[in-house]
Amino acid sequence: MTTKREFLKISLVGATALSSVGALSTALAEDKSVNHVNETIDNKQTDIVQKPVVVSTWEHGLSANRAAWQVLSVGGKAIDAVEHGVKVPEADPSVMTVGYGGYPDREGKVTLDACIMDENQNCGSVAFLQHIKHPISVARLVMDKTPHVMLVGEGALEFAKSQGFKEENLLTNKAKAAWQDWLKESTYNPVINVENHDTIGMLALDKYGDLSGACTTSGAAFKMSGRVGDSPLIGAGLYVDNDIGAATATGMGELMIKTVGCHLVVEMMRQGLSPEQACIAAVERIAQKLGDYKKFQVGFLALNKSGEYGSYCIQSGFNYAVTDKSGEKLLDAKSILS
Ligand code: ASP
């Protein structure tokens, strides 16, 4: 059995020497509810770069990818593709976990978090932003036009207005009804609930071989006022290193924040792991470190410099959309719990 210390040593020498990413610790290895994934690992390494390609979280990623593909397929840049792509669910009121029509917090306010990162390590972010339908475009302007990375709350709103964004009511009747229903009991129990989370995180590799990513969300439904999740936090909900790869996340943001999950995924790819292996390693880090992880969902999605992608999650049920020259598909992620 591989001890934790031995695993760390192995991971430093790279994926080829790594016989089992699943055998991280005795506790995990002996836990019958945990899937042991050594047979399922895609250890393929290739020199052929598959580009352009765009991947994004959940089924609403399909329509978002279509918009991103409009940019990528005509030679556009990954950074423009990811911004264009995630604006689709931001504007779609039927997606109740992102942008306009998103579930409000416990005070009935729709508060949005988003971030974006390009191939030059530039990044921009907004958090606790209200009344603006496209937080990702405000994040883009924080990146492009300010010396800062992150603006929050009133400051983010004032900045958005200064850039010409109009204030709008983002609380749809449907989201308001769901909130009023929740108010009857007002119990906040952010367990597995796959319906009440569903951030869009998108990663793209363009024809020039450059990577970028975007992540945008209304956060956990009926969250405490002022709560900010992983999605606007560079390193937690999104990370891009143009030499290596990119990663994004969805699910209970507190778990990604505690482990700086997306940075971890990219660093695992730097050590030679495939995107899927890197996502497995990050979920297993959560499982090792955070005792209550079985109550929650977390899904990681990664794309490397060769255009290879992979994913992994805690609970089954997370899927992701992939679009490239061959078309589009929706894939189910493997999970650590059955
Ligand atoms: N990660 C988001 C948050 O915690 C929500 C989600 O993706 O489900 O705010």
Side-chain angles (χ1 to χ4, degrees), residues 188-210:
Y188 184 61
N189 189 18
V191 284
I192 297 163
N193 68 352
V194 283
E195 307 89 36
N196 291 350
H197 296 249
D198 283 359
T199 295
I200 184 151
M202 176 179 281
L203 311 169
L205 179 70
D206 63 27
K207 72 178 255 196
Y208 313 102
D210 287 327

Side-chain angles (χ1 to χ4, degrees), residues 113 197-199 217 219-220 227 229-231 249-254 256:
D113 297 338
H197 296 249
D198 283 359
T199 295
T217 190
R227 180 266 188 187
D230 62 308
S231 306
T250 180
M252 191 65 192
E254 282 72 5
M256 287 78 100

Side-chain angles (χ1 to χ4, degrees), residues 36 55 61 230 234 273:
H36 298 292
V55 297
D230 62 308
I234 298 296
L273 301 198

Side-chain angles (χ1 to χ4, degrees), residues 136-216:
I136 198 67
S137 296
V138 185
R140 173 81 189 258
L141 291 174
V142 172
M143 177 175 91
D144 288 346
K145 293 201 170 172
T146 81
H148 305 305
V149 166
M150 188 165 194
L151 296 177
V152 305
E154 278 299 313
L157 179 60
E158 287 312 312
F159 172 70
K161 289 196 288 188
S162 77
Q163 298 300 311
F165 290 82
K166 297 275 171 290
E167 286 188 85
E168 296 176 60
N169 174 24
L170 303 181
L171 185 63
T172 57
N173 288 339
K174 194 173 168 197
K176 188 173 178 183
W179 169 62
Q180 284 170 336
D181 205 37
W182 174 83
L183 276 179
K184 288 180 196 151
E185 297 208 349
S186 310
T187 44
Y188 184 61
N189 189 18
V191 284
I192 297 163
N193 68 352
V194 283
E195 307 89 36
N196 291 350
H197 296 249
D198 283 359
T199 295
I200 184 151
M202 176 179 281
L203 311 169
L205 179 70
D206 63 27
K207 72 178 255 196
Y208 313 102
D210 287 327
L211 288 158
S212 290
C215 188
T216 175

Side-chain angles (χ1 to χ4, degrees), residues 59-70:
E59 193 171 349
H60 52 236
L62 285 169
S63 51
N65 280 8
R66 268 173 230 139
W69 190 252
Q70 286 173 353

Side-chain angles (χ1 to χ4, degrees), residues 281-293:
V283 168
E284 292 198 330
R285 179 72 61 85
I286 287 174
Q288 273 192 312
K289 293 277 184 186
L290 307 179
D292 56 353
Y293 76 98

